[in-house]
Amino acid sequence: MHNAAFEALKMNWAYLAFQVAPQDLRTALQGARDMGIVGINLTVPHKILALDCIDEIDAEASKLGAVNTIAMERGKIRGFNTDGYGFLKAIKEEFNLSIRGKRILVLGAGGAGRGIAVKCALDGAARVVVANRTLTKIVPIAQEIRNTKTEFLSIALIPDEIRRVIPEVDLVVNATSVGLKDGDSLGLGADLFSPRLRVYDTIYRPAETELLQIAGGAGAQVANGLGMLLHQGAKAFEIWTKRKAPLAVMRRALRTAVYGDKS
Ligand code: ATR
């Protein structure tokens, strides 16, 4: 999507993929800075490791606990997080829903879960519930959300616990990695979902995870993570280039790359 955007704006820039071992992240970032590379996106596991390898961190990235976008500015390696922004934009676009005053259930407490849960609290959610298989991983999220006005609850990611909280939830977000592989299951049955719920899965490949299939079958409004991927990318593009991202071009390129959709 970035290369399509550069082409559309006639910019002589290129977006390339590099494989970097975790222990080499610091030298890779310094090398990139010294070679005049303008910006970088990071993915797992670098999003969290980067917190210790950069010169300056944006306040929101620090709260979300992850850096997915690096910009080299005045010789400094600066870290940003555009995933939270991407999530809010996608929720607005898919469900015409703003997070302010809403009750959100986030499944997962890894990097993605933390970012989404904290972003919802920063954006004025009334209540955030985080469900995770490993309860101790929720502790740093609870600590961060305690600094906001949002009510917070942590629960185990099991059907009985979900059943207890779901009547008081407007939006369910899957931020676990469950659904990426064929046959993956969170073990949540159709009885948990209803037409008044919105269910967002951060996974976009496959386009329909088991969770979306079950929730959609029960009448809930559902959407996958492609919108979040698009909007985090558009925001990163604007940080690097200081130009408005050509969203339609990026969306088309992304759909083609991910689903082979030429429409
Ligand atoms: P990311 O940065 O993409 O969030 P991560 O930090 O590895 O990746 O987090 C993966 C998330 O998926 C975690 O919440 C993990 O739960 P644990 O903290 O208990 O490990 C969750 N997850 C992965 N496999 C799971 C499974 N089979 N059942 C339930 N949760 C699972």
Side-chain angles (χ1 to χ4, degrees), residues 174 176-180 201-207 209 212 223-226:
N174 177 37
T176 73
S177 45
V178 180
L180 280 171
D201 201 323
T202 59
I203 293 171
Y204 52 87
R205 197 159 42 199
T209 57
L212 294 188
N224 75 22
L226 201 75

Side-chain angles (χ1 to χ4, degrees), residues 24-200:
D24 296 332
L25 180 61
R26 184 184 301 274
T27 45
L29 290 177
Q30 290 167 348
R33 175 201 58 201
D34 296 347
M35 287 191 295
I37 287 174
V38 174
I40 294 176
N41 275 141
L42 303 171
T43 190
V44 176
H46 299 307
K47 287 187 188 189
I48 291 168
L49 295 175
L51 296 169
D52 294 326
C53 306
I54 57 181
D55 300 323
E56 286 177 11
I57 183 159
D58 172 71
E60 179 166 310
S62 169
K63 287 182 183 150
L64 302 195
V67 166
N68 79 317
T69 300
I70 297 276
M72 307 299 179
E73 288 174 1
R74 297 178 303 281
K76 290 233 161 66
I77 304 172
R78 303 194 61 207
F80 299 85
N81 185 308
T82 70
D83 283 332
Y85 166 89
F87 170 73
L88 291 190
K89 282 292 266 195
I91 292 301
K92 182 84 198 155
E93 200 171 82
E94 302 281 6
F95 303 134
N96 192 24
L97 186 81
S98 50
I99 293 298
R100 181 160 301 278
K102 300 298 187 308
R103 301 158 305 173
I104 326 293
L105 168 62
V106 180
L107 312 178
R114 174 179 169 156
I116 288 170
V118 175
K119 182 69 179 176
C120 288
L122 293 177
D123 212 56
R127 185 171 209 237
V128 170
V129 182
V130 174
N132 202 43
R133 181 177 58 178
T134 316
L135 279 171
T136 50
K137 291 222 197 127
I138 307 179
V139 173
I141 307 177
Q143 279 166 351
E144 199 55 59
I145 294 185
R146 226 166 266 139
N147 299 325
T148 70
K149 293 200 173 114
T150 300
E151 185 194 336
F152 183 78
L153 187 69
S154 67
I155 61 169
L157 209 181
I158 52 173
D160 279 352
E161 290 280 277
I162 304 288
R163 187 169 297 109
R164 191 164 62 80
V165 300
I166 215 153
E168 301 282 306
V169 162
D170 305 302
L171 169 69
V172 179
V173 183
N174 177 37
T176 73
S177 45
V178 180
L180 280 171
K181 288 191 281 333
D182 237 14
D184 265 1
S185 178
L186 283 163
L188 305 179
D191 57 310
L192 294 171
F193 302 96
S194 65
R196 98 183 157 77
L197 272 175
R198 283 98 165 174
V199 179
Y200 191 79

